[in-house]
Amino acid sequence: MKRREFIFLVLGTAISCPVMAMAQQSKTVRVGMLNPSFAVQPPLDAFRKQLGDLGYIEGKNLIIDYRTAEGHFERLPQLVKELVALRPDVLVAIATPAIAAAQRATSTIPIVMSPSTDPIGSGFIKSFAHPGGNITGVANMYGDVMGKSVETLHELLPAAKTVAVLMSLNTTHPTQYELARAALQSFGKSVFPVVAPTPDDLPDAFHKMTDAHCDALFVLADPFRPTIASLARLIRERAPERLASVV
């Protein structure tokens, strides 16, 4: 099972708690889903299947309203406003940018994180034991495994001297970058930071990496951006000695 599908399976279980009582009352449950990135069908299918296994069937006792920002985080406030206007019973916010937008939009509608990289540091919950407020859900704990991820890159490419670290406007990225930088430097590697605020900025970001003669690319945890893989493949085809790997 792929990681994204697993997260949505876990999420399907987590989301059942806020709506279980309403379903028992034969009420149609409305779920608003906010995705800062692009729609990815397999995880959504896994989400629907898990809810179906829990007794929530679209067209019977479940409505899912879906909005996606396609990598343009500035669209999130308007999208979540649209979802809140539909009066959902619960909001599902995919990744930190969407969770933050949902948190600003409502303090009363239950919000399920799917997932958050740093829920406490981002101010979404007070603690794991006692979240408080109207937010619960899943944390991926990327910060805790940053060192291991960099170690994996080093094992794959011990000769890589300069590593590009790709960021967006994700609010967790400054902290993640510092963790990645420290880990990369501990292996004797130079770090080249590059920011692509939106998917439209990715081609320019890749040009900067190649101009800087980076040997590898380390992508910080972020909503899904499908063009990263295709751009990396294109560079490998045109200049095999550059960007030997993407992690």
Side-chain angles (χ1 to χ4, degrees):
M1 182 182 295
K2 294 181 179 179
R3 179 179 62 84
R4 290 190 184 90
E5 294 181 43
F6 173 75
I7 288 173
F8 271 80
L9 285 171
V10 173
L11 176 64
T13 304
I15 199 175
S16 67
C17 297
V19 300
M20 184 70 76
M22 292 177 282
Q24 290 174 346
Q25 297 170 7
S26 299
K27 178 185 182 298
T28 296
V29 174
R30 190 164 208 136
V31 178
M33 295 192 70
L34 183 63
N35 186 351
S37 185
F38 297 82
V40 183
Q41 197 58 43
L44 292 177
D45 290 341
F47 175 72
R48 290 189 174 98
K49 181 182 184 304
Q50 182 67 8
L51 284 179
D53 292 344
L54 295 168
Y56 309 122
I57 309 296
E58 282 187 279
K60 180 180 178 181
N61 62 349
L62 173 67
I63 298 171
I64 299 178
D65 299 304
Y66 189 81
R67 298 289 188 277
T68 175
E70 297 184 336
H72 293 270
F73 298 166
E74 71 277 6
R75 299 175 184 172
L76 290 171
Q78 177 58 37
L79 295 177
V80 73
K81 182 179 179 180
E82 294 174 9
L83 289 174
V84 169
L86 295 172
R87 303 179 66 181
D89 297 293
V90 61
L91 283 171
V92 178
I94 302 172
T96 295
I99 301 165
Q103 183 185 42
R104 289 190 293 269
T106 179
S107 60
T108 56
I109 299 173
I111 299 170
V112 179
M113 307 179 294
S114 171
S116 171
T117 296
D118 182 12
I120 297 175
S122 297
F124 300 145
I125 63 174
K126 294 180 180 178
S127 70
F128 290 111
H130 303 286
N134 62 321
I135 302 179
T136 187
V138 181
N140 57 32
M141 311 306 289
Y142 272 118
D144 292 348
V145 298
M146 184 68 72
K148 188 63 179 178
S149 298
V150 170
E151 181 181 347
T152 299
L153 183 149
H154 177 66
E155 290 176 352
L156 290 171
L157 294 168
K161 296 180 179 179
T162 302
V163 178
V165 177
L166 180 62
M167 296 169 273
S168 69
L169 296 183
N170 191 319
T171 56
T172 67
H173 281 183
T175 299
Q176 286 191 55
Y177 170 74
E178 290 303 320
L179 293 172
R181 181 184 60 80
L184 287 164
Q185 289 179 343
S186 73
F187 286 103
K189 302 184 186 301
S190 297
V191 182
F192 181 76
V194 60
V195 179
T198 74
D200 297 336
D201 300 306
L202 284 169
D204 182 60
F206 272 79
H207 282 304
K208 291 177 180 177
M209 296 175 207
T210 53
D211 288 345
H213 300 284
C214 294
D215 302 304
L217 169 61
F218 189 87
V219 182
L220 296 183
D222 211 24
F224 179 57
R225 291 175 286 173
T227 52
I228 290 177
S230 59
L231 286 168
R233 187 180 304 113
L234 181 63
I235 291 175
R236 286 291 305 279
E237 292 172 353
R238 292 180 177 177
E241 75 281 1
R242 296 182 181 178
L243 285 182
S245 184
V246 177
V247 176

